[in-house]
Amino acid sequence: MMKTQQLLLNPTPVQYLGKLPGGQDIFMKRDDLLGFSFGGNKCRIAVAFLEDMEQKGGDLMVSYGSPGSNLNRTVAALCKSRDIPCLLIVSADEGADEQTFNRQIAAGTGARQVLCGKADVASTVERVMEEARKRGYKPYYLYGDQYGMGNEAAAREAYRRAYREIRGWQQETGHHLTHIFHASGTGMTQGGLVVGKREAGGREEIIGISVARDEARGAAAVRRYAGDQGEDDGDIRFVADYRCGGYGLYDGDIERTIEEMMNSHGIALDPTYTGKAYAGMVKWLERYGMGTEQVMFIHTGGLPLYFDYLNRRRDP
């Protein structure tokens, strides 16, 4: 079977959604339409990791995530499409037996999956990397060392490039964004956006809506992926007021946001990332916005999580 030559369909389109309740014009950058493995920010990030692995001479990709990990799913699909061996380390602390759509897609690629507890991630990474070397591979762990440090430059490259797309869109259309919002988890996406903005001299306020971490821990992660040494210069905004109790948890407001987005625009959001972040953005703007802003929300994908959500709603 002939393999596709262009992995990602970028730049992704920007869609005008109208005005928010507070009067702000809202534009959505559709990174869910990147064209590979259901799209999303993890597609951009996985491609950046693959490029880095090839530059470093690696021949076995090693990834880590939860049973519902978008990154594991995308990395597995990307490696399969390029005939690259892939090993997925999967957190077994919660939902280890849950057959999420992401996990099923990853399993369909034939990628080997290794379960471990969150307390054992470092030792598991060290073990599988050593085993791979003994088998003659040059394994590449996308997070860096066994503690998840050291590969921040490769991770931020994806959204450093994406910011250039946003910059180009503004120049082409004449729009002047005041804010860029997105779901912020590990800090990879926001770190890349911040670096891109700094390099271009951008003036937008980039605001990450936390999906899990508190403000201190989340902002520190963004600074790390942005390559900051010590304190930031004030351009990192990580908002943790709308976490709804933690990762994967959601409430009626988030569910109503998901339903409204589907019914009004035919766009799928999920309760773990994009739905939570969009609902949080609206609340933030209602409280702090002036009503004259031009706002962009980056749809960072995660479509399989939307179908997991529908399945859960159907369960008695």
Side-chain angles (χ1 to χ4, degrees):
M1 182 180 295
M2 184 167 54
K3 297 182 182 300
T4 182
Q5 295 302 306
Q6 183 180 355
L7 281 171
L8 304 183
L9 302 178
N10 54 333
T12 50
V14 175
Q15 182 174 354
Y16 179 61
L17 300 183
K19 288 187 178 293
L20 291 170
Q24 298 86 4
D25 286 304
I26 176 69
F27 299 88
M28 179 179 283
K29 184 166 177 61
R30 298 294 303 275
D31 270 17
D32 57 319
L33 302 179
L34 277 164
F36 183 83
S37 186
F38 299 99
N41 62 334
K42 297 307 191 294
C43 284
R44 290 187 188 268
I45 291 169
V47 168
F49 280 137
L50 178 62
E51 293 172 351
D52 188 58
M53 184 183 83
E54 291 175 340
Q55 291 172 4
K56 293 176 179 175
D59 56 11
L60 168 66
M61 179 74 80
V62 179
S63 182
Y64 164 75
S66 70
S69 171
N70 287 316
L71 182 59
N72 273 1
R73 176 253 305 167
T74 309
V75 166
L78 179 61
C79 287
K80 182 66 174 180
S81 76
R82 291 296 183 263
D83 297 321
I84 297 170
C86 180
L87 186 149
L88 307 176
I89 299 172
V90 180
S91 170
D93 286 343
E94 296 180 7
D97 297 327
E98 184 182 1
Q99 290 304 308
T100 65
F101 281 102
N102 274 334
R103 192 172 186 185
Q104 292 178 64
I105 294 165
T109 69
R112 179 187 167 202
Q113 297 191 30
V114 176
L115 297 178
C116 77
K118 289 185 178 180
D120 301 318
V121 174
S123 61
T124 302
V125 170
E126 190 172 25
R127 174 173 59 81
V128 300
M129 295 285 281
E130 183 58 28
E131 289 174 354
R133 294 187 188 100
K134 288 180 179 177
R135 296 199 307 270
Y137 287 106
K138 295 180 180 178
Y140 173 93
Y141 181 48
L142 48 76
Y143 284 109
D145 63 20
Q146 67 265 39
Y147 302 108
M149 307 287 286
N151 212 21
E152 291 81 6
R156 66 173 169 261
E157 181 61 25
Y159 274 84
R160 176 173 172 254
R161 298 173 186 171
Y163 179 84
R164 295 175 191 163
E165 292 180 19
I166 296 171
R167 185 78 166 177
W169 173 81
Q170 292 184 82
Q171 293 169 344
E172 290 171 8
T173 63
H175 290 296
H176 300 284
L177 297 174
T178 55
H179 300 75
I180 299 173
F181 291 87
H182 63 96
S184 196
T186 62
M188 294 182 191
T189 296
Q190 189 169 355
L193 289 169
V194 167
V195 170
K197 171 190 167 182
R198 289 171 177 172
E199 291 176 346
R203 301 182 66 180
E204 314 90 346
E205 190 168 14
I206 296 172
I207 300 180
I209 303 294
S210 175
V211 300
R213 292 175 172 173
D214 62 34
E215 183 175 352
R217 185 166 172 241
V222 175
R223 286 197 296 271
R224 180 164 67 86
Y225 278 106
D228 289 354
Q229 303 296 321
E231 294 298 319
D232 69 272
D233 59 6
D235 60 350
I236 291 177
R237 296 292 306 279
F238 184 88
V239 177
D241 296 337
Y242 312 108
R243 291 175 290 165
C244 196
Y247 182 78
L249 301 178
Y250 53 92
D251 59 13
D253 285 345
I254 294 170
E255 291 192 286
R256 282 186 288 273
T257 295
I258 293 171
E259 182 177 359
E260 182 179 346
M261 188 61 66
M262 177 55 68
N263 291 341
S264 298
H265 303 288
I267 297 173
L269 302 180
D270 73 88
T272 303
Y273 293 102
T274 52
K276 179 179 284 189
Y278 195 96
M281 173 192 71
V282 172
K283 290 178 179 178
W284 190 94
L285 286 167
E286 286 176 346
R287 183 174 181 181
Y288 300 107
M290 301 297 291
T292 58
E293 296 89 346
Q294 289 197 335
V295 173
M296 175 176 282
F297 180 82
I298 302 177
H299 190 321
T300 49
L303 181 58
L305 299 178
Y306 172 71
F307 293 112
D308 288 336
Y309 166 66
L310 293 182
N311 270 350
R312 287 193 297 271
R313 291 189 72 188
R314 220 172 32 227
D315 291 339

